[in-house]
Amino acid sequence: MKTKSLGLFRMIDTDSSYFDEAEELAKSKAYAFNLQCYLRHLAHRSWDVRTEGYTIRNDNYVDPSRVPGRGYGTPEIKEFWRESGDPDFFPMYTMAWGKAMRRNCGNAQQGGFRSMVNKTLGSSNCGNGTIAHEGLHMMGGISHSGVMRGNDTSKYGDETCLMGGGGRNQAGLNAHKLRALDLEGYRKTLTLTESREVLIAALELPDFALHPDEYTCVILQVPDHDDIYLSIRKTKGTPFPQYPKSEGRLYAHIVYDIWDEDAKQWSTQSARIEKGMMPGKTWILPNVTIRYREYDDETARVFVDFGE
């Protein structure tokens, strides 16, 4: 089991009152605890997760920087830890909250150890989902998920996935992101290169809950095309609030490599290519046809036709 530890550091003004600091510390600890609960449930047999919340009196900006040891509040956090660090806890990952000049909700080093969330945390657009989104960039090394419009794909916008933006209705992950984390107990995937019928169960179900003939993710290796991931979402009895009106919808995502100019590195991106297909409908995609025949008891019966 991998150990994952994160410290959430709330940056407050140096002249803040002790009452204000106590109030912000309580918020920081609450957000950190929510993140710990989310990650422990998501990776219950793969990661040992612990998070803690703190406050730091600081008047400096904590925006990202490519200079080693700078940005993301790194110098301020190191100084705080030397003076007031917890001897029983050391955060492998750090997240600075506040004192950012950027207007977006957050930023993180994908596959790295530093991140930040903006002072707007707690607003209608930036909340617990933002912390989980940035945390998974670091801890899981996973990228964003967009949507495909014509021949173009966006960086964000996949409403079926937390990595599509991190809004209030995006607590789950799409099939590609869940597989990329390689979590124990969530590995029952079928790769198809020829026509056949498949049974697709809800993505969030662990392997032990599946029928021997069911899969939670079906990967289509289509000639002259990016791989396509098929999945459906769990819609009842789940601790993760899902995208509204997702009952019985079949989702398809493509996976491709893209150059991330901000991070100066290649990353594997996913994009939703359809809004979600209901039973009885058919998708005709390049070199493959997908027929959604039936949905019953959170299981989809789908025929994949490669047109051999």
Side-chain angles (χ1 to χ4, degrees):
M1 182 177 291
K2 298 178 180 178
T3 299
K4 305 280 186 177
S5 56
L6 179 144
L8 175 62
F9 297 88
R10 177 68 169 111
M11 302 293 175
I12 62 174
D13 294 333
T14 54
D15 59 356
S16 297
S17 68
Y18 288 111
F19 176 82
D20 290 339
E21 182 175 13
E23 185 177 29
E24 295 304 317
L25 178 59
K27 291 179 183 178
S28 182
K29 288 185 176 297
Y31 275 116
F33 180 73
N34 288 340
L35 175 63
Q36 178 176 284
C37 292
Y38 175 82
L39 293 177
R40 281 184 176 180
H41 186 90
L42 178 69
H44 63 289
R45 287 188 290 180
S46 299
W47 298 350
D48 177 19
V49 181
R50 181 181 172 187
T51 62
E52 295 288 348
Y54 305 92
T55 55
I56 296 180
R57 291 177 179 266
N58 168 47
D59 289 331
N60 299 323
Y61 289 114
V62 298
D63 291 273
S65 172
R66 294 196 184 98
V67 179
R70 303 296 302 177
Y72 299 102
T74 303
E76 292 78 12
I77 293 172
K78 285 184 176 179
E79 182 180 356
F80 168 83
W81 207 257
R82 281 195 297 267
E83 297 179 355
S84 311
D86 184 347
D88 298 322
F89 174 73
F90 182 80
M92 181 186 308
Y93 304 92
T94 65
M95 185 177 293
W97 170 17
K99 298 294 182 181
M101 296 180 67
R102 293 191 174 195
R103 295 183 178 180
N104 57 333
C105 290
N107 188 279
Q109 298 173 336
Q110 183 178 331
F113 300 91
R114 306 289 177 259
S115 64
M116 53 158 282
V117 288
N118 213 329
K119 61 184 179 181
T120 54
L121 189 67
S123 68
S124 59
N125 294 320
C126 307
N128 286 309
T130 298
I131 294 181
H133 175 107
E134 305 303 344
L136 284 171
H137 274 318
M138 295 186 296
M139 297 180 180
I142 55 178
S143 60
H144 293 116
S145 187
V147 294
M148 190 169 186
R149 299 183 179 93
N151 294 323
D152 296 325
T153 56
S154 62
K155 188 175 183 178
Y156 302 100
D158 178 13
E159 76 282 359
T160 72
C161 184
L162 176 70
M163 307 311 292
R168 293 184 179 276
N169 292 318
Q170 298 168 313
L173 296 174
N174 67 31
H176 170 253
K177 301 308 180 193
L178 195 58
R179 291 299 168 273
L181 293 178
D182 192 29
L183 302 176
E184 182 180 347
Y186 293 90
R187 294 173 176 165
K188 196 171 182 187
T189 300
L190 176 66
T191 300
L192 285 185
T193 58
E194 58 184 26
S195 302
R196 61 163 285 184
E197 183 178 83
V198 293
L199 297 178
I200 306 177
L203 181 61
E204 294 85 354
L205 290 177
D207 294 347
F208 67 82
L210 302 179
H211 185 276
D213 295 329
E214 291 179 333
Y215 299 88
T216 53
C217 175
V218 176
I219 304 174
L220 310 183
Q221 294 186 339
V222 184
D224 302 319
H225 194 277
D226 295 309
D227 287 351
I228 299 174
Y229 283 58
L230 298 181
S231 65
I232 64 171
R233 301 305 298 272
K234 189 167 171 56
T235 56
K236 55 188 177 183
T238 172
F240 298 137
Q242 302 300 341
Y243 181 61
K245 301 180 181 178
S246 62
E247 181 71 39
R249 291 181 183 270
L250 179 70
Y251 293 102
H253 293 80
I254 61 167
V255 177
Y256 58 97
D257 292 329
I258 188 172
W259 175 255
D260 189 327
E261 183 60 30
D262 291 336
K264 298 297 182 182
Q265 65 181 17
W266 287 93
S267 65
T268 302
Q269 185 96 350
S270 64
R272 176 182 52 72
I273 61 176
E274 296 290 349
K275 288 186 176 180
M277 181 167 62
M278 299 302 291
K281 302 296 184 179
T282 298
W283 282 333
I284 301 177
L285 303 174
N287 300 323
V288 65
T289 299
I290 302 167
R291 297 182 174 87
Y292 189 0
R293 291 178 168 173
E294 182 184 17
Y295 177 79
D296 182 53
D297 194 23
E298 294 192 301
T299 300
R301 186 181 299 274
V302 179
F303 185 79
V304 179
D305 185 358
F306 285 92
E308 298 97 338

